[in-house]
Amino acid sequence: MRNAPTILHLDMDAFFASAEQASKPSLRGKAVVVGGLGLRGVVATASYEARVFGVHSAMPMAQARRLAPNAAYLVPRFELYREISDQVMGLLRTLSPLVEPLSLDEAFVDLEAGGTAWDDASARLAGVKLRADIRAVTGLTGSVGLAASKMLAKIASEQAKPDGLVVIEPGTERALLGPMPVRTLPGVGPATGDHLRRGGINTVDGIAEAGEDELVRLLGKAHGHALYAMALARDERPVVAERETKSVSVEDTYDVDIHDRVRVGLEVQRLADRCVQRLRRAGLSGRTIVLKVRRYDFSTLTRSETLRGPTDDPAVVQEAAGRLLEAVDTTGGVRLLGVGVSGLADYTQEDLFAQAQAQATAQARAAVEETAAQEHSDGQGEEGAEEPAAEQVPAAERRWPAGHDVHHAEYGHGWVQGSGLGRVTVRFETPDSEPGRVRTFRTDDRALEPADPLPLVPRRPEDSTGVSAGAPGRA
């Protein structure tokens, strides 16, 4: 254990929901729930206003709607969240080379390794400055915990929520932990907590008093030893710098099972294109294409194909995903589809064979279509010939997810409040405007188009250099 609170844990406050409130002036101070909105959806994040009604993450969305029927229910905008996360992680890396992200909105930082803090006062100063910089750069708030170990720093940040800072000074750990419930310790979930309670252990002090042998008897050797050490505030785990990304993937869960094979194929092509876009934004390419299919009976099938070299060519990825789909039986219906790329590299060595195959397939399809069109034309010239029915490929339906950004040719930038029955309702406002007006359009209105999210804080000229005024540099 260290003799100074130089391990920092940052946790952004209700991250997804707070980003939506900052982006949408009409939702500030109101209950907001972000997650899957279908029958099978779950809550990803709830604003603090929604938590008052008992809504929390991982709750079924149907239950959340019963608890808070008047809340705003939005589909996640991961592109925006990743952009904000990149800004926050950039600020953390100005503090130390040892930053360990746990998710988009949470990370450990070893301040001592970066020379940023060496005692209580310098650690507190670093935490105060970080919170101010995060607010200046992103417009959002984060809670900071500082302690001599990762476990205690995380506990401190939980105590600091929302929008606060807590320092656990070395030497005070046992007194702080003692009266806390057993669920406070990492790794103690509902099942372990119930097991301990049945053994008469309800607090962290109770764990320490029970002794290591009793914990091993109750929980097993590995878990018992680890839990006893944590109860004594022993945690020697180092902060580990960000690990290399191993794969990039996207997936969608559908409210109603898809039975139409043509629709399934179109969805796979769309997912493959999204996956490649994400690859390119990260400056990566990959060799192995992975298809994930969850069927109507919850059985999940994964199929993969490894190319001769890494690629970020959308045609190659789409073609490979299509070949993988041909080997999967989807007749009973599909509830989830996903496309991923692994075997990543930071360069592209195009697979010429795969490209040629993709091009050959495209040419073959074009030839078939041309032949069919010619036959159709010839048939029309024959007297009394019966005209064959043209095969209709369903056009991709324009989707308007609740909460996502749009732009109207006349009214400007806005976001989708809801859609259905051929109509889409849009509120026109921006992060720095007053609450905007609401208008309704046909879902096929060509004046309305999907748009990219706007930055929550207006970008200043110096931001292009990666450094913001009054704040550390950011990625």
Side-chain angles (χ1 to χ4, degrees):
M1 291 281 290
R2 305 182 181 199
N3 56 12
T6 54
I7 292 182
L8 178 149
H9 181 260
L10 169 73
D11 196 352
M12 298 294 288
D13 299 320
F15 182 46
F16 295 175
S18 293
E20 297 298 343
Q21 290 175 317
S23 177
K24 302 171 172 62
S26 59
L27 297 185
R28 292 170 190 169
K30 298 182 180 179
V32 174
V33 181
V34 180
L37 303 189
L39 298 175
R40 300 162 178 156
V42 296
V43 175
T45 308
S47 69
Y48 288 100
E49 295 85 354
R51 295 180 191 187
V52 171
F53 298 98
V55 180
H56 58 77
S57 60
M59 171 182 286
M61 191 61 75
Q63 182 180 356
R65 287 185 183 276
R66 290 194 295 270
L67 293 172
N70 296 320
Y73 289 87
L74 308 176
V75 175
R77 293 187 295 162
F78 287 107
E79 181 180 352
L80 172 65
Y81 309 149
R82 287 191 185 91
E83 181 179 349
I84 299 171
S85 177
D86 287 345
Q87 294 174 329
V88 172
M89 297 302 166
L91 292 172
L92 296 182
R93 292 187 186 96
T94 66
L95 300 177
S96 173
L98 292 184
V99 176
E100 183 179 344
L102 304 180
S103 63
L104 289 176
D105 63 332
E106 185 180 2
F108 287 111
V109 183
D110 188 334
L111 299 177
E112 185 177 311
T116 309
W118 50 91
D119 58 14
D120 292 11
S122 58
R124 187 183 294 274
L125 182 62
V128 169
K129 186 174 187 302
L130 173 65
R131 293 179 57 240
D133 289 343
I134 288 173
R135 186 186 289 273
V137 171
T138 71
L140 304 181
T141 63
S143 296
V144 169
L146 291 155
S149 70
K150 291 168 71 172
M151 178 188 76
L152 292 165
K154 185 170 175 62
I155 290 173
S157 70
E158 285 296 322
Q159 291 185 319
K161 282 188 167 294
D163 191 20
L165 182 148
V166 168
V167 180
I168 299 177
E169 298 180 0
T172 67
E173 298 95 346
R174 290 288 303 278
L176 175 75
L177 286 176
M180 291 183 173
V182 295
R183 291 286 303 277
T184 303
L185 299 179
V188 181
T192 301
D194 288 342
H195 205 54
L196 290 170
R197 277 193 294 274
R198 287 196 295 270
I201 302 172
N202 298 297
T203 64
V204 176
D205 264 345
I207 293 175
E209 292 167 2
E212 193 167 11
D213 292 341
E214 177 65 9
L215 290 172
V216 169
R217 187 187 69 81
L218 287 173
L219 304 175
K221 187 174 181 179
H223 202 178
H225 287 313
L227 197 57
Y228 183 69
M230 286 189 290
L232 299 180
R234 297 173 186 165
D235 180 16
E236 302 294 341
R237 294 174 300 157
V239 176
V240 180
E242 184 175 9
R243 295 174 177 85
E244 184 179 357
T245 302
K246 294 183 178 180
S247 65
V248 172
S249 63
V250 296
E251 61 182 43
D252 276 347
T253 300
Y254 304 99
D255 298 340
V256 178
D257 292 346
I258 303 175
H259 293 83
D260 182 5
R261 184 75 176 186
V262 174
R263 167 83 188 283
V264 173
L266 290 173
E267 290 294 316
V268 167
Q269 297 300 297
R270 182 178 61 83
L271 290 167
D273 186 62
R274 282 174 51 196
C275 184
V276 169
Q277 290 177 18
R278 188 172 296 178
L279 264 182
R280 289 183 167 180
R281 283 197 299 268
L284 298 170
S285 59
R287 295 182 64 231
T288 302
I289 315 303
V290 181
L291 175 71
K292 178 179 177 182
V293 179
R294 181 166 297 149
R295 299 188 293 190
Y296 70 99
D297 58 357
F298 285 88
S299 61
T300 302
L301 303 177
T302 303
R303 300 288 184 267
S304 64
E305 175 180 321
T306 299
L307 308 175
R308 295 183 178 183
T311 185
D312 65 352
D313 187 325
V316 173
V317 177
Q318 288 179 338
E319 190 65 31
R323 287 196 299 272
L324 294 170
L325 179 63
E326 291 173 2
V328 177
D329 179 10
T330 63
T331 53
V334 170
R335 60 186 292 121
L336 177 147
L337 290 168
V339 174
V341 177
S342 59
L344 301 182
D346 56 1
Y347 66 94
T348 301
Q349 178 183 329
E350 294 297 354
D351 185 338
L352 299 180
F353 175 77
Q355 280 190 319
Q357 191 172 24
Q359 292 169 357
T361 302
Q363 291 170 355
R365 287 176 178 168
V368 170
E369 292 170 359
E370 183 178 354
T371 301
Q374 183 63 44
E375 290 175 351
H376 177 65
S377 175
D378 292 343
Q380 284 183 319
E382 295 177 6
E383 185 178 351
E386 182 178 353
E387 180 177 347
E391 182 180 355
Q392 297 295 323
V393 177
E397 184 180 353
R398 301 183 85 192
R399 301 174 64 188
W400 303 103
H404 281 223
D405 299 85
V406 295
H407 186 273
H408 191 274
E410 179 180 352
Y411 301 110
H413 191 93
W415 58 277
V416 176
Q417 280 200 326
S419 63
L421 301 177
R423 296 287 186 270
V424 54
T425 300
V426 178
R427 184 181 288 273
F428 290 97
E429 59 187 6
T430 64
D432 56 352
S433 74
E434 295 295 322
R437 298 184 62 181
V438 175
R439 296 184 181 275
T440 299
F441 308 92
R442 291 174 56 89
T443 54
D444 59 357
D445 189 330
R446 291 302 165 186
L448 188 68
E449 295 291 341
D452 293 330
L454 297 178
L456 303 186
V457 175
R459 292 191 174 96
R460 293 163 291 188
E462 60 267 29
D463 287 343
S464 61
T465 66
V467 178
S468 59
R474 59 188 173 97

